[in-house]
Amino acid sequence: VSALVIARRRNEIITFIKERWSLLLIGEVIFLIAFFSFVLLRMANPDLWHPFRGGEKPMEMAYLNAVLRSSYMPPYDPWFGGGHLNYYYWGQFIVASFIHLSSVTTEIAYNLAVATFFALTGSAAISIGINLASSKVHTKHWLKILAGVSSILFILIIGNMNGFYQILHLLDTFLSQGFWGEFDFWQSSRMMPPDPPGFEITEFPFFTFLFADLHAHLMAIPFGLLVIGVSMALVMSSDRNSSYWLHWSQLTLLGITIGAIRATNTWDVPVYSIVA
């Protein structure tokens, strides 16, 4: 399909690249910065197991290996001999495809996948923010940059206020007692009452990426942002003299993306169907 589009729209694509090459380059640089930043973070703690804080990593490794080693779908169930995986596994399928293409070992590919999904999310967030700020013709350049940076901060970095509270508490401990305490990143993901926090999960994207939880809800985040981006493109192109085929191609992409979300993390489908 891509080859057909290039053959029919070659001149338009070349013109687009000539006019927007700097913007395209900035987008790639943002992706690479986000990717390698998180690779460095994973290098600081690449272990995928912990006796009581390993979380669901063993399950995620088992599912990923099951997809890797299955010659047909659905994959075999790693926990139940002779059974098939009764779980949404499209995210693992994507990661497994890259593992087969690159021949990288699973435990290394796992950490690289976390960094990749982080970079995809960051790139999409910045793009959505900049495009929302660019909906007006005379939007100032600094406002577009602010919108892009704010988007990645609110979507990917900022969670709840517990981390900030912990930093203030550690600073107070240091000033009053002369030593630093320990920052408890796990506490920030369990903020619901009773007090002290119980087991009610209040995870947010940065915690999930920091914990390297290659779970369905992590891998669905870039797809969710793609739904928002394509929906926004449809709305923004509706007041222009856009071609009939452009609208149908956008709608097709939107449908495929929601279908991918259903196979990646089914619980997200109602929300993004409403957005669409």
Side-chain angles (χ1 to χ4, degrees):
V1 172
S2 296
L4 184 63
V5 171
I6 290 171
R8 295 190 61 178
R9 304 277 184 171
R10 183 175 61 255
N11 293 333
E12 289 180 45
I13 292 170
I14 291 171
T15 303
F16 177 84
I17 293 172
K18 285 180 177 178
E19 291 177 352
R20 306 289 184 91
W21 68 268
S22 58
L23 195 62
L24 294 171
L25 187 62
I26 289 169
E28 295 297 325
V29 169
I30 289 169
F31 177 90
L32 291 173
I33 289 172
F35 176 78
F36 285 113
S37 297
F38 223 81
V39 166
L40 289 172
L41 197 60
R42 292 305 308 139
M43 285 171 66
N45 181 30
D47 195 8
L48 301 177
W49 173 252
H50 191 282
F52 59 92
R53 282 192 172 173
E56 295 177 325
K57 293 188 184 76
M59 181 198 78
E60 289 149 10
M61 281 288 286
Y63 285 0
L64 183 56
N65 278 320
V67 175
L68 267 170
R69 296 175 182 178
S70 295
S71 54
Y72 57 88
M73 299 293 115
Y76 71 83
D77 190 334
W79 307 113
F80 177 52
H84 296 295
L85 194 60
N86 184 24
Y87 195 76
Y88 23 84
Y89 57 84
W90 182 244
Q92 287 90 344
F93 187 92
I94 294 171
V95 176
S97 299
F98 282 106
I99 292 174
H100 278 302
L101 284 168
S102 62
S103 298
V104 174
T105 58
T106 311
E107 63 272 18
I108 294 174
Y110 183 107
N111 284 313
L112 292 175
V114 172
T116 302
F117 281 107
F118 182 84
L120 285 169
T121 303
S123 301
I126 287 177
S127 177
I128 290 169
I130 290 173
N131 276 281
L132 281 172
S134 304
S135 58
K136 302 295 182 183
V137 178
H138 300 296
T139 306
K140 291 181 170 59
H141 191 65
W142 65 268
L143 190 60
K144 296 179 184 178
I145 296 172
L146 179 63
V149 172
S150 298
S151 296
I152 195 170
L153 285 175
F154 280 108
I155 291 172
L156 200 52
I157 306 299
I158 297 174
N160 54 47
M161 296 300 290
N162 177 257
F164 181 65
Y165 169 80
Q166 282 197 63
I167 291 171
L168 292 179
H169 180 69
L170 291 173
L171 184 61
D172 180 61
T173 303
F174 178 75
L175 293 173
S176 60
Q177 301 179 29
F179 67 91
W180 290 104
E182 182 181 352
F183 186 91
D184 185 3
F185 81 99
W186 188 268
Q187 177 183 311
S188 300
S189 71
R190 302 294 188 272
M191 290 308 298
M192 296 290 286
D195 189 28
F199 292 99
E200 300 80 8
I201 299 172
T202 54
E203 290 187 17
F204 45 93
F206 188 72
F207 170 85
T208 307
F209 283 108
L210 182 66
F211 189 48
D213 189 12
L214 193 61
H215 203 275
H217 61 261
L218 178 144
M219 293 182 282
I221 295 174
F223 289 99
L225 292 181
L226 181 59
V227 168
I228 294 171
V230 176
S231 300
M232 185 177 64
L234 268 165
V235 172
M236 292 174 72
S237 63
S238 62
D239 57 348
R240 302 173 191 155
N241 295 320
S242 302
S243 68
Y244 172 87
W245 290 106
L246 175 63
H247 289 307
W248 274 107
S249 63
Q250 289 172 329
L251 283 168
T252 302
L253 177 59
L254 194 57
I256 291 171
T257 307
I258 292 173
I261 288 175
R262 183 180 182 275
T264 304
N265 190 39
T266 310
W267 301 98
D268 283 343
V269 170
V271 174
Y272 291 110
S273 295
I274 291 169
V275 171

